[in-house]
């Protein structure tokens, strides 16, 4: 098991940035912190700067509350209200903020933006979401699966929908912990090939399997975990009508779930478009663990911040 000291000062831009042992340590730490009540003073005097180019509910609140619960403080920095909006170079902003705060969490569009921040900053930079990766969400997903199923190794997980940031981070997460992951998506909406190739190399060490198929029923067969996401992410709103038609066969509904394991769980990173990627009978049904999953955002954020900063 990795120790906290081996993570201090690191950036967290993708799941692939951390080893299998480090991911397992973060999940263990999150589970332990979940048991804690009240305020811990492990980050007393520490400040997290949070830059948002995209709207947020769970990311903002979970990171802000996580810092509070650990005795620190968080600053919300809207990209519209800081000098980035007036053309200040990312590198200059990163250099200045490195002298004010102890870490930066950034939720943005282009993944290159957060990479530029990380290269220029002298403090840890955490990815709250980009168009390519959603690593903090997938840490919460892994914690939820482990709580519900008692294991991650050899767990049969199927993701339905767009090969987007959630799919990419799930692919990386599955490869790190030895899961059997299937991505079911329409032709032309597959995950990034390089991310799959990299994950397959990791999977050789952990025994994970990663496959991308286009038959949603075949993908659902025997699955212990069913996951989906919105069909049009932020910035893709103009494609909404087109995507509804393309993705209709990948809706998680009662007919599809009949092919899954009897004790499957349903997960969604939220917000959900009920009646599109998932029906209300499934998302509100007895197999759904979406709110436990959402709560776990807080606990993995606490583990991440404590490990990078304390």
């Amino acid at each position: 098991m990795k120790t906290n000291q081996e993570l201090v000062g690191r950036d967290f831009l993708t799941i692939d940035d951390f080893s299998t042992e480090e991911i397992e340590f973060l999940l263990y730490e999150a589970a332990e912190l979940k048991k804690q009540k009240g305020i811990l003073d492990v980050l007393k005097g520490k400040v997290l700067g949070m830059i948002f180019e995209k709207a947020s509910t769970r990311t903002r609140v979970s990171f802000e509350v996580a810092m509070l619960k650990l005795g620190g403080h968080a600053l919300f920095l809207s990209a519209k209200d800081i000098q980035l909006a007036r053309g200040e170079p990312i590198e200059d902003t990163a250099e200045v903020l490195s002298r004010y705060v102890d870490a930066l969490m950034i939720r943005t569009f282009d993944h290159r933006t957060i990479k530029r921040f990380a290269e220029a900053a002298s403090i840890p930079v955490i990815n709250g979401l980009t168009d390519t990766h959603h690593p903090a969400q997938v840490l919460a997903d892994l914690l939820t699966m482990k709580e519900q199923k008692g294991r991650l190794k050899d767990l049969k997980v199927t993701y339905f929908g767009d090969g987007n940031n959630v799919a990419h981070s799930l692919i990386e997460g599955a490869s790190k912990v030895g899961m059997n992951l299937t991505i079911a998506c329409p032709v032309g909406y597959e995950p990034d090939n390089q991310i799959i190739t990299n994950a397959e190399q990791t999977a050789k060490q952990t025994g994970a399997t990663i496959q991308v198929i286009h038959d949603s029923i075949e993908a659902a067969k025997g699955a212990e975990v069913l996951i989906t996401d919105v069909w049009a992410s932020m910035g893709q709103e103009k494609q909404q009508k087109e995507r509804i038609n393309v993705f209709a066969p990948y809706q998680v509904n009662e007919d599809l779930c009949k092919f899954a394991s009897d004790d499957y769980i349903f997960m969604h990173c939220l917000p959900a478009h009920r009646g599109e990627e998932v029906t209300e009978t499934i998302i509100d049904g007895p197999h759904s663990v979406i709110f436990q999953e959402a709560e776990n955002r807080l606990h993995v954020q606490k583990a991440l911040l404590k490990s990078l900063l304390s």
Side-chain angles (χ1 to χ4, degrees):
M1 179 77 68
K2 293 283 182 178
T3 66
N4 187 65
Q5 288 303 313
E6 293 174 284
L7 296 174
V8 172
R10 298 265 296 277
D11 295 323
F12 182 62
L13 306 188
T14 71
I15 292 287
D16 215 30
D17 289 341
F18 286 0
S19 68
T20 294
E21 293 78 11
E22 288 164 345
I23 295 296
E24 289 173 346
F25 170 80
L26 286 171
L27 296 177
Y28 170 81
E29 187 80 347
E32 291 299 303
L33 287 168
K34 188 172 182 176
K35 302 173 187 176
Q36 300 288 332
K37 305 299 181 183
I39 306 295
L40 302 177
D41 282 336
V42 293
L43 295 186
K44 186 176 182 179
K46 301 283 187 179
V47 179
L48 173 70
M50 306 189 301
I51 298 176
F52 286 86
E53 288 188 331
K54 284 190 174 187
S56 170
T57 299
R58 280 151 290 276
T59 298
R60 178 179 177 179
V61 175
S62 59
F63 270 105
E64 198 160 332
V65 173
M67 280 301 287
L68 175 64
K69 292 286 189 180
L70 296 174
H73 185 70
L75 294 174
F76 173 77
L77 303 168
S78 169
K80 297 181 295 183
D81 299 326
I82 59 179
Q83 295 297 333
L84 281 174
R86 299 180 64 244
E88 180 175 48
I90 286 171
E91 289 75 12
D92 290 359
T93 301
E95 174 72 29
V96 170
L97 291 178
S98 293
R99 296 166 184 258
Y100 291 157
V101 301
D102 300 286
L104 281 171
M105 187 283 298
I106 303 172
R107 182 176 170 95
T108 187
F109 292 90
D110 193 335
H111 193 73
R112 290 173 295 183
T113 298
I114 199 166
K115 289 179 70 175
R116 286 176 63 189
F117 262 103
E119 288 167 1
S122 57
I123 55 177
V125 174
I126 300 169
N127 184 357
L129 174 143
T130 67
D131 285 347
T132 314
H133 295 275
H134 202 353
Q137 174 65 53
V138 167
L139 282 182
D141 293 348
L142 294 177
L143 178 61
T144 307
M145 293 178 205
K146 192 166 187 179
E147 289 175 335
Q148 286 286 322
K149 293 300 182 181
R151 76 190 201 284
L152 294 173
K153 180 73 173 173
D154 297 327
L155 195 63
K156 185 173 173 54
V157 179
T158 300
Y159 169 90
F160 298 91
D162 191 17
N164 61 11
N165 50 5
V166 172
H168 290 157
S169 290
L170 272 173
I171 289 167
E172 292 183 344
S175 73
K176 295 287 183 180
V177 300
M179 292 193 315
N180 299 319
L181 176 66
T182 298
I183 304 291
C185 63
V187 174
Y189 293 88
E190 295 87 356
D192 181 86
N193 277 331
Q194 190 59 55
I195 290 174
I196 294 172
T197 299
N198 293 345
E200 286 174 341
Q201 292 302 310
T202 303
K204 292 178 181 178
Q205 308 301 318
T206 64
T209 61
I210 312 291
Q211 66 170 338
V212 178
I213 65 176
H214 305 296
D215 185 332
S216 58
I217 291 177
E218 188 64 30
K221 290 180 178 178
E224 299 170 87
V225 181
L226 305 180
I227 307 180
T228 191
D229 191 12
V230 294
W231 291 339
S233 300
M234 282 180 280
Q236 299 174 332
E237 289 81 4
K238 292 181 180 179
Q239 304 173 30
Q240 182 76 22
K241 289 184 179 179
E242 174 190 345
R243 283 172 171 257
I244 285 176
N245 293 327
V246 171
F247 283 92
Y250 301 88
Q251 183 188 66
V252 181
N253 53 39
E254 289 185 339
D255 288 338
L256 184 67
C257 292
K258 289 176 183 176
F259 293 95
S261 173
D262 290 341
D263 62 347
Y264 78 89
I265 58 172
F266 171 76
M267 300 174 64
H268 192 305
C269 66
L270 301 178
H273 292 170
R274 293 161 183 258
E276 288 185 16
E277 71 271 11
V278 59
T279 59
E280 289 194 357
T281 55
I282 298 301
I283 197 169
D284 293 328
H287 295 274
S288 177
V289 295
I290 59 169
F291 296 118
Q292 178 183 346
E293 179 186 6
E295 178 192 341
N296 281 339
R297 288 292 303 276
L298 171 63
H299 305 303
V300 298
Q301 256 79 286
K302 287 188 292 185
L304 193 57
L305 290 165
K306 180 185 175 195
S307 298
L308 299 184
L309 292 175
S310 67

